[in-house]
Amino acid sequence: MLHSYETDGAAIYQKSFAIIRAEADLARFSVDEEPVVVRMIHAAGMIGLESQVRFTPGMAGVARSALQRGAPILCDARMVSEGITRARLPSHNAVICTLDDPTIPARAQAMRNTRSAAALELWRPHLDGAIVAIGNAPTALFHLLNMLRDDTCPRPAAIIGCPVGFVGAAEAKAALFADPPAPVLTVEGRLGGSAITVAAVNALASRSE
């Protein structure tokens, strides 16, 4: 017997979001934040993720405005940069990932740090007013925080800091939210990842679902 299943992509999409809104506890989120959280839950397939999502006040509005102005999006990993839906971006925003730059292995060795962290040094010309999207490497988020301790380092408009993992991820995100150098969106604890981070970017790029 052949399987019977929903084959209408638009219907699947709409029903998925309806289920999320019916089952998730979204009451504490603002009108600007709620569609972002819904997309993050959708990407993770996890009702309950919302309990660990944290925004600093006004972050969603600031990030949307920056994207409208043409802010570049700086990504720590190719899984993040390649997942961003270019058609959603409001101003043909540049999407930048420097991890594959040929100088990175030598930079990482000189810094005695990971390649993910070293790649952020190439962000400096692009950081001012940018949207940062870190969804993979806790070392990248820690290094960004260290970079931003220097008052001469350009400031991003907003930071989506959702690295995933068992070593350093929870600590990096806690440090980000405890003393945010810019408006912040994060997921507490070990959860996170490229899919969740991409979902947040794509939601911030478009108000409608």
Side-chain angles (χ1 to χ4, degrees):
M1 181 180 295
L2 295 178
H3 294 284
S4 177
Y5 56 94
E6 179 62 71
T7 58
D8 184 330
I12 292 169
Y13 195 76
Q14 292 171 4
K15 186 173 182 180
S16 295
F17 279 29
I19 290 169
I20 291 168
R21 288 191 166 99
E23 296 185 6
D25 183 2
L26 303 170
R28 69 183 175 88
F29 298 105
S30 71
V31 172
D32 274 344
E33 295 166 352
E34 188 259 14
V36 181
V37 181
V38 168
R39 277 193 164 272
M40 294 169 76
I41 294 169
H42 183 256
M46 182 180 174
I47 301 293
L49 178 70
E50 71 275 10
S51 68
Q52 293 172 262
V53 176
R54 296 287 181 268
F55 292 84
T56 55
M59 183 275 177
V62 168
R64 284 197 172 99
S65 295
L67 289 169
Q68 290 285 342
R69 292 194 302 270
I73 304 165
L74 307 182
C75 307
D76 69 321
R78 284 289 176 194
M79 286 191 292
V80 177
S81 62
E82 295 306 311
I84 293 170
T85 305
R86 299 320 196 257
R88 279 183 169 266
L89 299 177
S91 300
H92 304 288
N93 308 70
V95 180
I96 299 169
C97 179
T98 54
L99 189 58
D100 292 339
D101 186 279
T103 67
I104 295 305
R107 286 177 180 272
Q109 187 173 23
M111 291 168 58
R112 297 185 179 180
N113 208 328
T114 66
R115 294 185 183 190
S116 295
L120 269 64
E121 288 297 322
L122 300 184
W123 287 9
R124 290 180 186 270
H126 312 287
L127 256 178
D128 188 25
I131 301 297
V132 168
I134 296 178
N136 183 45
T139 56
L141 183 52
F142 271 128
H143 190 63
L144 177 68
L145 292 175
N146 286 341
M147 287 169 60
L148 293 175
R149 285 182 176 273
D150 182 350
D151 290 338
T152 66
C153 184
R155 283 294 188 272
I159 300 170
I160 302 168
C162 300
V164 62
F166 296 94
V167 178
E171 293 83 357
K173 291 180 287 186
L176 172 68
F177 202 75
D179 188 17
V184 163
L185 164 58
T186 192
V187 177
E188 292 180 327
R190 295 171 172 175
L191 292 173
S194 298
I196 288 173
T197 304
V198 166
V201 174
N202 287 338
L204 288 165
S206 175
R207 283 184 178 272
S208 61
E209 303 297 348

